[in-house]
Amino acid sequence: MTTVTSTDDEQRAFDALIDADARIEPRDGMPDDYRKTLIRQMSQHAHSEIIGMQPEGNWITRAPSLQRKAILMAKVQDEAGHGLYLYSATQTLGITRDEMTEQLIEGRAKYSSIFNYPTPTWADMGAIGWLVDGAAIVNQVPLCRCSYGPYARAMVRICKEESFHQRQGFEILLTLMQGTDAQKQMAQDAVDRWYWPSLMMFGPPDDESPNSARSMAWKIKRFSNDELRQRFVGMLVPQAEVLGVTLPDPNLRWNDDTQQYDMSPIDWDEFMAVLKGHGPMNAVRIQTRRDAHEGGAWVREAAAEYARKQQQKEQAA
Ligand code: BYC
């Protein structure tokens, strides 16, 4: 359980750890707002991993070969694992897993906007791996240096697995781009659909990001939303050339003066609508999660009963 800083001494100790770029651990005193910010970001992150299993889970039974099916199953299992690391890390801040799950299934918690889009074709598995996991890596590598120890350590492992996910997505698209005209078109259509939502994953522009300044001062975030978005686009441009796909932005070009990519404006109205629950798949995602939770109640009850009996046996022995 975490200790909230209650004295000037505790606050000074916390500030000194942040200044020294050291890690804050659950045993350390911390300002309540720091703890709340972490619970917000980490639980949203955990929910994203868990909800993120759905768009791809949709394709496990229809993957085009046994090998593709095995790879996709492994990837979706990895995402369940990421959710579990992150829920466990968040629990060190004094919130229970049950509370977090309740917030999610009652529609009170956010999760990444990206998972509210549908996956109508196999090429979406490629686009998710390449673009969504690609964006996740760019966003998450700096989180390995986050000031909160349990979050930073969880991110190290997650990032290793995300690199594999990104490569499998790239490879799916590369295979399609070497196929028939219809397969090439399928790959391009998927890139067209996922490109803009993947840019929105980095969050609102810096001047409209209410949490950034404080999270950066606390060294939870190391780079701003726009900095990471730019870094991501810079990574995609040469990879799109290798794939032979076109990124769907006619205004995308390197600007020597600003040392940045110029790009068309992002449709932030769409982003806000998805955040408010009006994306194409919001209702389905939450309903599916709620059904899975209710359908799994007997497993939780059986596990609790088993644990109770084991404990009884140990006490008797
Ligand atoms: N979607 O002040 P801001 C994955 C919210 S899973 C929804 O910039 P912050 C994967 C934001 O929460 C990847 N909401 O916030 C899994 C805030 O709302 P509240 C998930 C968003 O926190 C399966 C408000 O907008 N990754 O990779 O400083 C398969 C204002 O934003 C979004 C993470 O969760 C969004 N895109 O910065 C495949 C990474 N963007 O809470 C792949 C961890 C913003 O004030 N999170 N909002 O009501 C972060 O790094 C940061 O939370 C963000 C936002 C950069 C996302």
Side-chain angles (χ1 to χ4, degrees):
M1 186 54 113
T2 50
T3 328
V4 173
T5 51
S6 52
T7 63
D8 288 351
D9 279 353
E10 279 176 348
Q11 180 70 43
R12 267 193 292 277
F14 172 84
D15 292 342
L17 285 170
I18 296 286
D19 288 347
D21 228 342
R23 296 273 179 273
I24 307 294
E25 296 297 339
R27 62 171 182 265
D28 295 322
M30 60 186 83
D32 200 35
D33 283 345
Y34 176 81
R35 191 182 63 85
K36 285 187 182 144
T37 293
L38 282 168
I39 290 179
R40 178 185 65 77
Q41 176 167 329
M42 291 166 67
S43 62
Q44 287 176 6
H45 195 163
H47 298 326
S48 305
E49 298 283 355
I50 296 300
I51 296 286
M53 295 164 74
Q54 292 185 34
E56 291 170 295
N58 178 34
W59 275 92
I60 290 177
T61 55
R62 293 176 291 153
S65 70
L66 184 60
Q67 195 194 20
R68 295 281 186 207
K69 194 181 289 231
I71 295 169
L72 190 59
M73 274 172 67
K75 179 178 192 273
V76 173
Q77 276 179 352
D78 283 352
E79 278 143 18
H82 297 174
L84 296 188
Y85 307 152
L86 288 164
Y87 281 130
S88 300
T90 314
Q91 282 177 270
T92 65
L93 291 156
I95 183 169
T96 65
R97 172 95 176 267
D98 284 346
E99 284 172 295
M100 289 185 271
T101 303
E102 217 165 275
Q103 289 172 358
L104 177 63
I105 62 179
E106 286 176 0
R108 288 186 282 124
K110 288 197 175 80
Y111 56 86
S112 185
S113 51
I114 193 79
F115 301 117
N116 293 306
Y117 292 87
T119 45
T121 74
W122 170 250
D124 290 311
M125 299 305 96
I128 288 184
W130 181 45
L131 296 171
V132 177
D133 290 286
I137 293 170
V138 171
N139 165 264
Q140 289 172 185
V141 166
L143 290 174
C144 298
R145 293 193 297 118
C146 156
S147 57
Y148 189 57
Y151 193 21
R153 287 189 288 276
M155 291 319 303
V156 171
R157 184 152 178 189
I158 291 175
C159 284
K160 284 185 185 153
E161 293 177 355
E162 297 289 14
S163 307
F164 156 74
H165 294 174
Q166 202 235 359
R167 290 182 77 101
Q168 69 86 39
F170 185 87
E171 199 267 338
I172 289 174
L173 289 180
L174 193 61
T175 305
L176 289 171
M177 289 305 290
Q178 289 163 354
T180 62
D181 284 348
Q183 287 170 322
K184 287 181 194 163
Q185 191 58 51
M186 196 198 289
Q188 182 62 56
D189 287 346
V191 170
D192 290 349
R193 278 183 284 111
W194 290 92
Y195 176 74
W196 290 106
S198 74
L199 296 189
M200 294 174 195
M201 284 176 72
F202 294 91
D206 292 349
D207 52 6
E208 287 166 39
S209 163
N211 300 299
S212 274
R214 217 165 45 159
S215 287
M216 286 178 76
W218 278 328
K219 297 181 181 166
I220 296 171
K221 284 170 93 163
R222 297 284 179 160
F223 299 96
S224 77
N225 298 356
D226 286 332
E227 279 172 320
L228 292 177
R229 196 171 0 253
Q230 271 289 331
R231 188 177 292 183
F232 177 56
V233 170
M235 187 188 92
L236 290 184
V237 169
Q239 294 182 1
E241 269 172 40
V242 174
L243 285 173
V245 295
T246 306
L247 296 174
D249 180 358
N251 297 313
L252 182 65
R253 64 184 62 84
W254 178 252
N255 183 329
D256 258 338
D257 296 334
T258 59
Q259 289 291 300
Q260 294 214 82
Y261 278 92
D262 289 336
M263 40 189 184
S264 304
I266 292 176
D267 184 351
W268 293 114
D269 290 343
E270 175 182 321
F271 173 75
M272 289 314 296
V274 173
L275 254 58
K276 287 194 182 119
H278 307 308
M281 299 298 282
N282 292 62
V284 175
R285 298 294 183 235
I286 291 296
Q287 188 60 47
T288 304
R289 182 68 195 90
R290 195 180 299 133
D291 291 347
H293 185 68
E294 286 165 9
W298 68 273
V299 180
R300 292 190 297 280
E301 282 160 21
E305 185 57 15
Y306 179 75
R308 193 185 64 78
K309 284 187 178 157
Q310 288 298 104
Q311 206 182 14
Q312 242 175 12
K313 268 191 209 162
E314 274 165 30
Q315 277 165 357

